[in-house]
Each structure stands twice: as structure tokens, then as C-alpha cells.
Amino acid sequence: MSPDTRPDPDKLLALVRHDGGEGVPRRGRLKVFFGASAGVGKTYAMLSEARLRLRDGVDVVSGVIEHHGRRETQALMEGIPVLPMLEIDHRGIRLTEFDLDGVLARRPGLVLVDEFAHTNAPGSRHPKRWQDVEELLDNGIDVYTTLNVQHLESVNDQVARLTGVWVRETVPDTIFEAADDIALVDIPSDELLKRLADGKVYVAEGANTRAAENFFKKSNLLVLREMALRRTAERVDAQSDELNAAMGQNEAQLGHKIMLLIGPDPLSTRLIRHAKRMAARGRAPWFAVYLQSDRHETLNEKSRARVEQYLRLAENLGAQVVRLSGAQPARDILTYARQNGFTRIMVGHRRIRWWLKPFRTAFAQQLIENSDGIEISVINGDVAPYSVTENVASSLRPFIARPIDYGVASAAVALATLAGLPFRDKTPSDNLTMLYLTAVVIVAARLGLGPSVVASILSVPAFNFFFAEPYYTFNFYDSYYYITFVFMLVTSLVVGSLTARLSRHARQVSERERETQILYGLTRALSSVRGVDRICEVAISHLSAPYNLAVSLFVDSPEGLGCIPKSAGPEDMKEMSAVRWVATNTQMAGRDTDTLPSASGLYLPLQAENETLGVMGLTPNGNGRRFTGSEILQFETFASLVAGALQRARRSDEAERSKVESENERLRNVLLSSLSHDLRTPLTVMNGSVSLLLKMRKELPRKAMDELTGLWGQLIRLQKFVGNLLNMAAITSGKMTLNFQPYMIQEIIGAALSQVQSTKENRQLRTQIVGNLPMVQIDGGLVEQVFVNLLENAFQHTASDGEIVITAERDADRLRIRISDNGAGLKTGDEARIFEQFQTAQTLSSDRAGGTGLGLAICRGIVQAHGGMIYARNNSDKTGASFIFTLPIVPEMPKEIL
């Protein structure tokens, strides 16, 4: 196999692993039992497989199963633990729903959740059940669920045209496509109709006849079955492509890139689903683009809300959402398409009314004429875009203004008239038309298109009445005034319209500049301050006033999430539950989202470098205000900036602490080294003198001999302490040199045991050698010191008649040594702390004085210098503790060398 065709190990690993990689929590597996319609046996198949998993020892629980009274299904539920449903009080009515928190607290291995597309009751954490399943998967819980093909979002319109029924409960295709397993549950259409006739298919009460006549027609069922088979086949194809790509075979080259244009027209929903199906068939990336031109300013709130709804629908179906700004839609769209390599643009088209055709070119036609090689797909609308009332209101929207604005427009015409009266007899009357034109321009720039049209219309009779002879009548002598009046009206209307459009564009640019200034100001301010409190103060001050928000920051700390400012912390439990959910799941929640939408504020995670640092809460001061999609994108950008600043502050604090600790460590090592060297010489002299006196035992009284013997013991202990200081200084300074030689570990153990014979008292020392042990590559003297220190530590924490066992065995390419005692064991939390310098373990059963706190630290340093590891833990029988360390084994010599 050549290097170019070898499988990519990372891609192969990504296909089979579910633990998310090192340091990433495991994600649960999702299996969808997929069918063409109700009654094919999805729940039955799911329960049958769940019973097999239960028999294999998997912790299976039933979260929600809709058996609809069918005995066969109820029989399969026997033996499977059932979790209680959650009761929700909604307007005095008790509703039962799937208990998400109950499952998270129970944490089973596998949970059964029927009806994937179900809509939850108001007050639930998520509006849809599939969102509950997503949270379960994020917490590492496997899920089995059921789904019909008509509940897939991308085929929603096709099913409606086929059956005449709009399915309101849908699941985004991206969720379906991300499932780990799809099990197609299929039966012939005739058998399904027979099941319906036998009453084995659940439909709403009293709706059997209508369901059989409309939805459950054989022709409909055949098409639905074809849809389900095709989606399953597309799923298999996608998995095959992933496997081929990982194996380095026929990796798909994406030759197409689709752009979908979104607008407020309801035709956009049809476009979105069509684009999703086209992208799925061609396995091409697709983007939903909304051009926010000056026309956006003329949209009412309902139309703007529709745009946000369509963009969210496209995002749920897998599109990447892009928002553009521009004054010339066709040119701006094509420029963006060429710059980003799009091969196809999808756009909707509605027929222009006949009286507007001479003045307006269809947007789709503009794209086609200027596409220059880019494929333009046009979908024609075959239904009215809005109701008649909404259609008229949409057409008149640019002309709607406050009554006072029309009054100001009339006043502007009157003011232009008064300004021209002094010059009526001094200049030709045609020159005075410029005064009215100026008034129209000012009105259009300040008040918009509607008042400018009124000003244009009023200007003609005002000019006729005051400036065309005979004055103060609507008659005129010269017939050329007909032409003057017509051109005056047309010019006023055109100039007013262009000025109003330019004014809207200027306001749009001004709004973008304002957003840029806020972003720049926040970035600059955050880069100039230090400390968490100051960063939070800067963020709050820069975001509160411009957006009229109450901003609160919840920063993670060892004590938990702390609110800054403290007075801004929400007292409502619903708000705090949203904050905690965001901190745990690192996803936004709250107002205008799909998670806890009833919360008053919008909460975004402060995340940097895959680390959650806190939560930012944004609560509008006006309760009726809704956040638009563009505002939420801005808030996400601001949250990212704040998170980056908090991360820098944390890194700066850690670096400062590390610097201080490093300096302290260096000074301590210098002190230890100097002190130990200075003590070694006088201690050696004193030890020699006492030893000499002890040899004169016949010449000294008994009491003096006893005192000298005690003094000699203390000198030996002090010399050992000084030796430990020197060893510790050498380890921490990195100056310890190791003399690696091959040793049999039995030799080292024997030498260590001989050293501690004099201090073991009545304790039993046993050695267990498991199997034939190979040689180890170590510094024999230092490893012997490890054994001595660990044995002396065991002596200190066991009774004088206790038992200590040394066990040595092979573990792959390492030798594992365990020293166990039957003392009182370690306190919880002491397992790692006791290996720090000057730390001693205090047991409940021993009041003897501990050591100096250097022996175990020296053991750790020596073992780590050998490339091994050392740790401690209590014995499984809760009697005593064990200290375990590993050493490298000598590599086997090749037979040719031997």
C-alpha cells in the first residue's frame, strides 16, 4: 500500500470512538427507529432491541413510551424500569412530560424516548423533545427513539402537498443525520392498511375515517415509504463516503457550493427545504444568505420576525447563515458569490404586477442577466405571498409615517412658499420651483418617502396658486405651465424617492458604524485593564447603555459562579437555573432561544480555548423587546471578547503565581543546600567524637553511657535528615545524576531490608515475587533509598506487631512494586498531598511523631527521574495503605547480539 492510499488513522479513529478524545467527555449514542408512517412497528422494534440490551447487562430505563393501549407493546415493557413522568401545571391543567432532570440524575446506560418530534408542554426546559435527547447525549447517555419520515423538516412541504396535511412537529435533518444508527422499520402498505382497519394504528380519537381517507391512502403510503427508503439509502451513502475518505479511497470532491437567498416572503420556507434536499443529493455545502439592504428598514416587525424564523429554520437544516449589507442587491449578491466560490444561487420569484413591469425588473432576472457563469435556480411562487390585508399593508409600508410628519411636510411647503414670495416679481417664476424641490429633499431626508410624496404633490398647486399668473387662483395664462407642473411633480417625486432611499442607506451605514464603534471600544477597553473585576466593569459599562440592557456577568471561581455586580444577580430561580444550565452545557439559553425561552434574560457562555469561564446575562429593560438574529450574533461576539479577556487575566494571574512559586522554590533550594552543607561537617565531627566516647564504655559511668547512646541516636537521625535535605535539593535543582545499570529487583529489596532490620521491631516483613521478573534499568543506590524510605514510612504508621508486604510483578514494559501495610490507612484527600515536601500523614491510630516530610517527596523525585510513577491509596479491604511505584524494564537484547 503506497503512502498516498494508506488509511488516515485519525479519520478512522473518529469514526469508531465516542469518548470525544482525551479530556473530552464521552457523548452518548443515538439510535433512531425510522419508519414511513405510524403503525409500522417502530416502538415494538425499539422495545425488542432494548430487552436484548437489558439481558446483556446494560442499565436500560424507559423514559417515555407511547404504547396507546396495545397489549403486544405493553408486554415488551415488562421488566424494563420505568421512570416517573414530570407533571407541569399550565393554566390550571396538569400535563405530563418526559422528566429530563430525572434521567440526568439517574444516569442510566440507555434510555428509551418515544416520539422524537414531540412538542413539549409550555414551561419545559426545551420546546421540543429532540432537544431533550440532545442534552442526554451531551451527558454521555445512550438513547433509543422513534421517528416517522413526515416529521423530517426537509420533506415537510412535500408531505403537505401529497397528503394535504401540514405536519407541525418536525425534527431538523441535521439531528437525524447526526444519529449514530438508523434502523428502518418497514412493512408493506397493504399490511399497514390492514392494521389500520383492525384498530392497531393509533390516530386521534374520532378521526379514523378522515385519517384513512386522507393520510392513509395507499398511494400516499407508497410515496412515504419511498421517501423513508431514500433517506435511509442517502444515510448509508454518506457513511460509505466517510469510510472511503478515512480509508483514502475515492474521497468525495465537493464540486458544488449552493447559496440560498432568504427574504420575508413565505416562499422562503419552500426554498429552504428544496435547497436542503438538493444539497443532500449533491453532498454539497449550502449557505442561507440574507441581504440587509435599505429595504430592510421598511419591513414591519412581523416581516422581520419572519426573516429570523426562516434563517433559524435554514440553520436547523444544516445551512450556514450569512448576513450581508449592501445598497444594490443583485450586484452585491453576485460579488459575494464570486468571491466565495459559489456555483449555484437559488432564489424565489413572483410575477410582477402588470402596471409595475415597465418600471421594475424582477430580482431573479437581474441575477440571471449578470450571473456570468454562476448557475441561477429560480423557484416560482404559486400561492399568494400574504393575505390581502397584509399584502396591501406591505405595499403601503414605505408611505406610513406619523401624522405629525405629514404636518411637517405641509409646513415645509408653506415655508418654501413664504421664502419665495419676496422674489416673485424679481425673478422668473420657473426659478422658484427650486425652493419646493429643496423642501422635498429636506423632508425626504428627515421624514422618509411618504411625507416627501405629500410635499411633492402639495408643491404643484402651491406654485400654481402663488407664483403662476394670475396669482391666488389655480388658473394660468401660459399653456407651457402644463409642462412645468408635470416636470415639477415628476422631479419632486424622483428626487424625494432617491433622497429617502439614500437616507435609509445612510442610517443603515450609521448603525453599522455604531456597532463597529462599540466593538472597537470594548476591545480597546478590555485590552487596557487587568483583573476580573475591572474586566467585568468595563464589559458592563460598554454594553448596558448602547443596547438598553441590564448586563450581569457570572464568573467561575473555586467558590462557584459569582455574579458581578452582586446586586445584578437574578433572584428568580428560573433565571439562575438558566445560568447554571448555560455554564454546564456551554450553549446559550433564555430569551428568544430554544432552551428555557420563558426566562427574562438571554444568557451566553463565556468560553475561551474550550474552557468555560462563566456566563454573560443580558436582560432588556423593556419587557416586550425581542432580540433579533443579528443582535444575538453581536452579543456572541461580545461574549467571546469578554471570555478572551478573562482568560488572559487568568493566565496572567497564573503566570504571576508561578513566577513567585518558582522564585520561592529557587530560594528554598539554595537555603536547603547551604544549610545542609554547613551542617554536614560539624555533625560528622560530633558523630565521630560520640562514637569514640562510646568505645570507652569501661572507663565511663553507666549513666554517662546511656546519655551518650541517646545522643548518638539523635546524631544519626540528624545526619539522615541532612542527607535528605541534600537529596531534595539535588532533585529540585535538576542536578541529580543517575548511574543506570541493570539490576535484579530482588537484590535491591534484600539490601533495603538489611538496612531496616534494626528498626522494624516485631513487625513482620514479607516479600512476594510474582513470576520470573526481568532486570530493571535503574540507579541501584537511589532505588534502594526509595525502598528504605517507604519501609520506614510504613513503620511509623503501623503497630509494632504489624505486617508489611512487598510485592513485585511485571506490568507490560514496566515493573510494578507495591509496599502494603495493615495500619490505619490514609485520610481522604491525602493520597497526593503526602508526596509534597514537608507533608506528613497523620493517622487516627497512631499518635507517634511523623517524619520530616521529605522521605516521600524524595521517593517521588527518584521514581520520576527513572521515568516511572508513584502513588498511594488505601487497601481494598479498608485495612492499611499501599504505596505503588513503577520502574522501566531492560529491553531484551537481540538474539544475534547474544
Side-chain angles (χ1 to χ4, degrees):
M1 183 176 291
S2 66
D4 294 335
T5 61
R6 285 183 302 180
D8 187 331
D10 294 331
K11 292 182 179 179
L12 286 175
L13 187 61
L15 289 177
V16 300
R17 76 181 302 172
H18 253 258
D19 57 359
E22 185 176 355
V24 180
R26 173 190 179 274
R27 178 175 168 85
R29 296 183 63 88
L30 172 64
K31 183 168 185 176
V32 179
F33 291 82
F34 188 54
S37 68
V40 298
K42 301 180 300 299
T43 304
Y44 190 93
M46 178 177 68
L47 288 171
S48 299
E49 185 161 336
R51 293 184 67 86
L52 295 176
R53 297 290 303 277
L54 186 66
R55 190 181 306 165
D56 292 338
V58 178
D59 183 14
V60 181
V61 300
S62 170
V64 53
I65 295 293
E66 301 292 349
H67 55 77
H68 302 300
R70 292 190 287 266
R71 290 190 298 273
E72 300 91 341
T73 305
Q74 290 176 324
L76 287 176
M77 294 180 61
E78 294 181 2
I80 299 178
V82 178
L83 292 178
M85 300 289 283
L86 177 67
E87 292 190 355
I88 298 177
D89 188 2
H90 178 62
R91 298 179 180 177
I93 302 176
R94 304 295 293 179
L95 304 174
T96 57
E97 281 294 350
F98 171 60
D99 188 2
L100 175 60
D101 289 323
V103 176
L104 291 175
R106 171 75 162 70
R107 297 197 67 82
L110 172 64
V111 60
L112 311 180
V113 183
D114 212 352
E115 296 189 358
F116 198 30
H118 172 77
T119 299
N120 292 331
S124 302
R125 180 184 302 169
H126 302 292
K128 297 289 186 178
R129 183 169 289 171
W130 63 262
Q131 295 171 316
D132 294 338
V133 170
E134 279 291 289
E135 186 166 344
L136 292 175
L137 297 174
D138 289 339
N139 283 273
I141 300 174
D142 295 344
V143 179
Y144 282 179
T145 189
T146 60
L147 181 70
N148 293 327
V149 68
Q150 65 263 29
H151 293 291
L152 285 178
E153 184 65 58
S154 64
V155 300
N156 187 258
D157 57 336
Q158 287 183 322
V159 173
R161 286 197 301 271
L162 173 70
T163 64
V165 178
W166 277 98
V167 178
R168 301 299 178 186
E169 294 181 328
T170 58
V171 173
D173 288 51
T174 50
I175 305 300
F176 175 79
E177 292 163 359
D180 299 281
D181 297 296
I182 304 293
L184 179 65
V185 183
D186 183 48
I187 61 173
S189 302
D190 292 335
E191 185 176 342
L192 179 59
L193 291 173
K194 184 178 183 303
R195 288 174 56 90
L196 178 67
D198 295 340
K200 296 182 178 181
V201 178
Y202 174 78
V203 292
E205 185 178 355
N208 291 5
T209 303
R210 179 173 59 84
E213 291 179 353
N214 295 325
F215 191 88
F216 287 94
K217 290 181 180 178
K218 185 173 181 178
S219 58
N220 291 350
L221 294 177
L222 287 173
V223 176
L224 290 173
R225 191 181 181 195
E226 180 185 355
M227 287 183 180
L229 291 170
R230 182 182 295 117
R231 289 312 304 266
T232 306
E234 290 174 354
R235 160 79 180 188
V236 173
D237 287 343
Q239 289 180 324
S240 177
D241 287 345
E242 290 180 359
L243 181 59
N244 289 336
M247 295 295 294
Q249 302 172 359
N250 301 325
E251 186 166 357
Q253 298 294 327
L254 299 178
H256 292 287
K257 193 175 182 182
I258 300 174
M259 176 194 294
L260 168 66
L261 302 182
I262 300 290
D265 195 310
L267 179 61
S268 294
T269 58
R270 182 177 167 190
L271 277 169
I272 291 169
R273 294 186 176 97
H274 186 80
K276 167 60 184 176
R277 294 193 294 269
M278 183 179 292
R281 286 194 295 268
R283 301 191 188 114
W286 63 296
F287 294 69
V289 178
Y290 175 62
L291 182 68
Q292 191 166 326
S293 63
D294 53 356
R295 183 173 175 268
H296 181 79
E297 300 292 329
T298 66
L299 298 178
N300 57 22
E301 291 299 324
K302 191 173 183 180
S303 296
R304 295 187 185 187
R306 263 200 304 266
V307 170
E308 299 299 334
Q309 176 186 348
Y310 300 154
L311 291 174
R312 184 173 298 180
L313 171 62
E315 188 173 19
N316 287 337
L317 287 177
Q320 183 172 334
V321 174
V322 178
R323 299 172 189 264
L324 301 177
S325 299
Q328 299 182 5
R331 187 196 66 180
D332 296 332
I333 288 294
L334 290 171
T335 300
Y336 179 79
R338 293 189 186 98
Q339 291 175 347
N340 293 275
F342 286 95
T343 58
R344 174 178 294 180
I345 298 177
M346 297 186 62
V347 61
H349 171 70
R350 293 192 182 276
R351 289 182 294 274
I352 300 176
R353 296 174 180 86
W354 63 269
W355 65 84
L356 292 176
K357 285 185 178 180
F359 310 102
R360 180 183 299 175
T361 303
F363 180 61
Q365 184 65 32
Q366 296 178 41
L367 291 175
I368 292 172
E369 292 176 354
N370 299 279
S371 60
D372 191 20
I374 299 177
E375 182 180 348
I376 308 296
S377 297
V378 181
I379 296 181
N380 188 41
D382 54 1
V383 294
Y386 317 103
S387 64
V388 175
T389 304
E390 189 176 357
N391 192 14
V392 173
S394 176
S395 301
L396 296 178
R397 176 68 183 173
F399 300 96
I400 298 176
R402 298 173 301 174
I404 191 174
D405 293 339
Y406 290 104
V408 172
S410 303
V413 174
L415 185 62
T417 302
L418 292 175
L421 285 176
F423 305 98
R424 184 172 59 182
D425 299 327
K426 299 178 181 180
T427 185
S429 59
D430 293 346
N431 295 338
L432 298 177
T433 59
M434 299 303 297
L435 292 174
Y436 292 102
L437 190 60
T438 303
V440 171
V441 170
I442 294 174
V443 170
R446 302 289 296 180
L447 304 178
L449 182 58
S452 72
V453 171
V454 171
S456 299
I457 296 173
L458 292 178
S459 296
V460 174
F463 178 80
N464 183 16
F465 191 81
F466 290 101
F467 298 105
E469 295 180 352
Y471 300 135
Y472 308 117
T473 68
F474 290 104
N475 297 322
F476 44 87
Y477 295 140
D478 297 326
S479 59
Y480 74 85
Y481 274 118
Y482 284 110
I483 299 175
T484 301
F485 294 157
V486 171
F487 274 99
M488 181 178 176
L489 178 60
V490 172
T491 303
S492 298
L493 291 174
V494 171
V495 171
S497 175
L498 292 176
T499 304
R501 183 177 178 182
L502 181 62
S503 178
R504 290 196 302 267
H505 183 63
R507 286 195 296 270
Q508 185 179 358
V509 172
S510 177
E511 181 66 21
R512 296 289 178 268
E513 183 181 3
R514 170 179 167 272
E515 295 171 2
T516 303
Q517 288 293 335
I518 295 173
L519 184 62
Y520 172 74
L522 179 61
T523 304
R524 184 174 181 180
L526 289 175
S527 63
S528 62
V529 297
R530 295 185 62 185
V532 173
D533 292 340
R534 286 289 297 131
I535 289 173
C536 294
E537 291 174 5
V538 165
I540 292 170
S541 63
H542 278 74
L543 298 180
S544 298
Y547 293 96
N548 193 24
L549 299 171
V551 181
S552 55
L553 293 171
F554 302 84
V555 181
D556 192 20
S557 65
E559 294 78 22
L561 285 174
C563 182
I564 300 176
K566 295 182 179 179
S567 59
E571 298 180 358
D572 191 350
M573 292 299 297
K574 183 187 297 182
E575 304 299 310
M576 283 306 302
S577 64
V579 171
R580 286 190 288 268
W581 190 91
V582 171
T584 302
N585 295 274
T586 64
Q587 299 176 22
M588 76 170 69
R591 192 185 194 96
D592 298 322
T593 68
D594 290 334
T595 303
L596 298 169
S598 58
S600 300
L602 173 67
Y603 299 96
L604 301 101
L606 299 176
Q607 193 172 17
E609 300 178 8
N610 295 325
E611 182 180 2
T612 302
L613 305 173
V615 177
M616 182 169 70
L618 306 169
T619 305
N621 293 326
N623 291 330
R625 175 182 171 186
R626 294 181 60 87
F627 291 133
T628 65
S630 59
E631 284 182 325
I632 292 177
L633 287 176
Q634 295 170 33
F635 296 152
E636 287 181 319
T637 302
F638 297 146
S640 178
L641 288 174
V642 175
L646 292 174
Q647 184 74 304
R648 288 194 300 272
R650 177 174 293 186
R651 293 287 183 265
S652 177
D653 292 342
E654 291 175 355
E656 190 69 25
R657 287 195 298 269
S658 178
K659 182 179 179 181
V660 172
E661 291 174 0
S662 177
E663 187 65 21
N664 290 340
E665 185 71 16
R666 188 183 67 83
L667 293 175
R668 183 169 60 182
N669 290 337
V670 171
L671 178 62
L672 288 177
S673 180
S674 301
L675 182 63
S676 56
H677 278 93
D678 291 341
L679 286 176
R680 171 167 284 189
T681 299
L683 283 175
T684 303
V685 174
M686 294 169 62
N687 191 11
S689 300
V690 173
S691 299
L692 182 60
L693 290 174
L694 287 175
K695 293 178 181 179
M696 303 168 59
R697 60 175 63 92
K698 295 181 180 180
E699 303 176 13
L700 295 175
R702 178 66 180 221
K703 187 174 182 180
M705 286 297 301
D706 292 341
E707 292 294 332
L708 285 174
T709 301
L711 179 59
W712 184 76
Q714 293 299 324
L715 285 173
I716 293 297
R717 182 180 178 188
L718 188 55
Q719 278 188 313
K720 184 178 293 187
F721 174 64
V722 171
N724 285 339
L725 286 177
L726 285 173
N727 290 334
M728 198 69 246
I731 291 173
T732 54
S733 64
K735 295 180 180 180
M736 174 179 284
T737 57
L738 303 180
N739 181 21
F740 286 105
Q741 296 291 335
Y743 285 91
M744 296 297 296
I745 197 64
Q746 295 91 329
E747 301 176 18
I748 306 298
I749 295 175
L753 290 176
S754 64
Q755 281 199 48
V756 299
Q757 283 296 324
S758 60
T759 57
K760 77 181 185 67
E761 299 180 348
N762 294 326
R763 300 178 182 88
Q764 295 183 15
L765 295 178
R766 293 194 297 112
T767 302
Q768 295 179 352
I769 305 298
V770 181
N772 295 322
L773 299 184
M775 302 183 76
V776 288
Q777 190 81 5
I778 58 174
D779 185 315
L782 293 178
V783 173
E784 181 182 335
Q785 183 66 41
V786 171
F787 277 101
V788 170
N789 288 356
L790 292 177
L791 289 171
E792 289 181 346
N793 178 75
F795 292 165
Q796 291 181 1
H797 300 97
T798 54
S800 59
D801 57 349
E803 183 182 38
I804 299 170
V805 180
I806 303 173
T807 306
E809 59 184 343
R810 180 167 186 167
D811 183 9
D813 61 343
R814 301 272 169 172
L815 201 64
R816 185 180 303 274
I817 297 97
R818 178 195 303 266
I819 299 179
S820 304
D821 61 60
N822 60 350
L826 299 169
K827 290 184 178 179
T828 303
D830 279 354
E831 291 86 348
R833 186 183 63 84
I834 57 176
F835 288 101
E836 301 294 333
Q837 297 180 30
F838 303 107
Q839 297 289 340
T840 59
Q842 301 296 329
T843 63
L844 297 176
S845 64
S846 176
D847 58 356
R848 296 189 298 272
T852 60
L854 286 175
L856 295 180
I858 291 172
C859 291
R860 183 180 66 175
I862 294 174
V863 171
Q864 290 179 350
H866 281 78
M869 64 178 182
I870 184 170
Y871 56 95
R873 65 186 182 193
N874 287 318
N875 297 327
S876 57
D877 57 0
K878 298 182 180 180
T879 58
S882 294
F883 289 78
I884 304 102
F885 66 95
T886 62
L887 294 172
I889 291 174
V890 176
E892 293 185 4
M893 301 292 290
K895 293 182 178 180
E896 292 81 356
I897 297 177
L898 295 176

